[in-house]
Every structure is written in structure tokens, then in C-alpha cells.
Amino acid sequence: MRLIFLGAPGAGKGTYAAQLSQQLGIPTISTGDILRANVKQGTPLGLEAKSYMDKGGLVPDELVTRMLAGRLGETDVKPGFILDGFPRTLAQAQSLETLLKEKGINLNAVVDIDVPRDVIIRRLTGRRMCPGCGANYNVNTNLKPKQEGICDKCGKALITRTDDNEATIKNRLQVYEEQTAPLIAYYQKTGLLRTVAAEGEIADIVARIRKAVAA
Ligand code: AP5
């Protein structure tokens, strides 16, 4: 199964992709996670990407597409993958189409994860991450850690992502509307688009996504 998860920042792409990835036994490719890992390691890509990410803008297409092409060349993606956060522009969607054509593979579905704006803002402002194991919590939803500020799994102090502040969130949402939302119409034309309402319990939403992509 080869899937794209579209959706605004904070819609829940990473959360649902992690669960579906386990259920289907295929990896998630999150361009945001790969970029953050590069920033943390201080690689040349990370140094270049950081200034765009901190402002809530998009990293240039050429850099992200090259990074994605490298990841798609690895052996674990052969049985399938979930793309979380790529493509995010029309140019990225066209590059992906070319890449997949060269590899002789097709997408099965593009899932538009649909959440009202007020819910998105609540999810983004409440998100807390574990810098040790990467676990994701939320102080504004039912995903609070058992002990405030501490990871349930590894006991490390939780952090807030540097781009989860009010000004950057506002910019990320605007960039999404201008550059990424047009991909909904793009994939609608291909017949691959499946829109899934993503409010409620995580397990129910993941089941809804499974049903939508099987259709
Ligand atoms: P990226 O990391 O992809 O960020 P994003 O798209 O803004 O998405 P998020 O990770 O913020 O949200 P999500 O939809 O995964 O939500 P989550 O599951 O965490 O990208 C970061 C940056 O990297 C970009 O701004 C850009 O600069 C750059 N970048 C990345 N890809 C790029 C590309 N292709 N081109 C150019 N630049 C690129 O959920 C949010 C919170 O809500 C969590 O706390 C979660 O636990 C909670 N939650 C979710 N669902 C529920 C639920 N049903 N009930 C209760 N809580 C819930």
C-alpha cells in the first residue's frame, strides 16, 4: 500500500500515520521528522532547513525532493509507505509523480485529513514531544502525560516544538492554505483522493482511514 497523507499542520497526520504504519507493516516517511533529525545533527541540509522551519515557511522544493528521492531508494519502502508531509506544493507533487513513474510504482490513495481550524489550533498549542523517544503528548486533549511535563515511556522532560508557537502556527496555516491546500483539487482529479473527518478517538479515525483507502 502506498499512501499520501495530506492535511493542515496539526491535523494529526503523524499520529494516524504511526498507527496505520504499525497495522499495515509499512514505514512512514515524514519529511518533517527527517528535516528535524538533520537540524538536530547539524548537517548542511539541517542548517539550511532550520531558518525556513523556524518561521513556519516551506523548505525549498529542490532540497526536500532530493531528500525524499533518497529515502524512496531505501529497501524498507519496497512493500509500501505512508508519505506524511510530502508533497506540500504542486512542484513537489509533479516531482513525486515523475519519481514513482521511474520506479514503475503507483499510489493507492491520497488521504485528506480534515479537521476544523479551532481543533487544529488546540492540537498544535497543546502538543508536547519527548526528545528521548519521540513520543507525542497533548495537554489540550486526552493525550496528557500521566505526570505533567514528563514522558510516560522514558521519563525525560517533555519539550514544545520550536514551531509550535502562536506566530509560527499562524504562518504555517497560511502557507498550508496557499501552497498545500491546492493539492486537494490536484489529487481529486486523479481519482485518488479520500477525505476523512478526523475528530474523535484516534483508533476510530485510523479505522476510518483504513476503510477509506481500501475502497
Ligand atoms: P511537519 O513536521 O510535517 O509539520 P506539519 O505539517 O506542520 O504537521 P505537524 O507535525 O505539526 O502535525 P501533524 O498533522 O503530524 O499532527 P500530529 O499527529 O502531531 O513539518 C514541519 C516543517 O518542516 C514545515 O513547517 C516545513 O518547514 C518543513 N517541511 C516538512 N515537509 C516539507 C515539505 N514537503 N516541503 C517543504 N518543507 C517541509 O497531531 C497534533 C497534536 O494533536 C499531537 O499532540 C497529537 O497527539 C494530537 N492529536 C492528534 N489527533 C488527535 C485526536 N484524535 N485526539 C486527541 N489528540 C489528537
Side-chain angles (χ1 to χ4, degrees):
M1 181 80 78
R2 297 182 187 92
L3 305 172
I4 289 177
F5 277 13
L6 282 183
K13 302 181 294 296
T15 302
Y16 314 134
Q19 298 224 352
L20 194 63
S21 159
Q22 260 192 352
Q23 294 179 14
L24 299 178
I26 54 175
T28 295
I29 303 177
S30 158
T31 42
D33 283 350
I34 303 175
L35 288 167
R36 274 185 292 279
N38 275 275
V39 171
K40 201 170 169 186
Q41 289 156 17
T43 66
L45 170 63
L47 292 176
E48 184 156 3
K50 189 176 184 323
S51 58
Y52 299 99
M53 296 171 79
D54 282 349
K55 288 190 217 112
L58 293 182
V59 176
D61 287 336
E62 199 262 321
L63 284 181
V64 188
T65 303
R66 196 160 5 110
M67 180 182 93
L68 195 264
R71 182 68 184 91
L72 284 179
E74 291 174 25
T75 48
D76 66 318
V77 306
K78 288 223 164 87
F81 51 78
I82 303 172
L83 284 182
D84 162 10
F86 189 99
R88 266 173 137 105
T89 63
L90 202 53
Q92 290 182 16
Q94 287 161 344
S95 300
L96 178 65
E97 213 173 302
T98 308
L99 260 171
L100 296 181
K101 207 176 266 175
E102 279 166 14
K103 291 179 183 298
I105 52 181
N106 293 315
L107 291 170
N108 296 88
V110 176
V111 182
D112 176 30
I113 297 174
D114 189 28
V115 188
R117 192 179 165 104
D118 59 323
V119 177
I120 283 177
I121 291 173
R122 214 167 340 123
R123 286 183 182 175
L124 283 175
T125 51
R127 178 165 53 189
R128 301 290 180 273
M129 306 292 299
C130 174
C133 67
N136 187 333
Y137 298 89
N138 203 299
V139 297
N140 290 345
T141 72
N142 55 354
L143 300 174
K144 295 179 185 66
K146 290 194 187 97
Q147 192 186 338
E148 196 184 324
I150 302 292
C151 178
D152 295 349
K153 294 179 185 151
C154 69
K156 285 225 158 77
L158 300 177
I159 56 162
T160 301
R161 253 171 62 172
T162 53
D163 56 352
D164 279 348
N165 63 75
E166 208 178 316
T168 312
I169 289 173
K170 206 171 149 210
N171 198 29
R172 285 161 67 198
L173 291 173
Q174 190 178 339
V175 167
Y176 169 78
E177 287 303 332
E178 289 169 4
Q179 304 204 47
T180 310
L183 294 180
I184 295 173
Y186 176 85
Y187 284 115
Q188 182 115 51
K189 283 192 202 131
T190 65
L192 291 172
L193 191 78
R194 310 280 182 270
T195 300
V196 174
E199 279 188 273
E201 291 298 321
I202 291 171
D204 296 339
I205 296 164
V206 174
R208 250 176 258 157
I209 295 174
R210 272 195 89 151
K211 199 169 156 200
V213 300

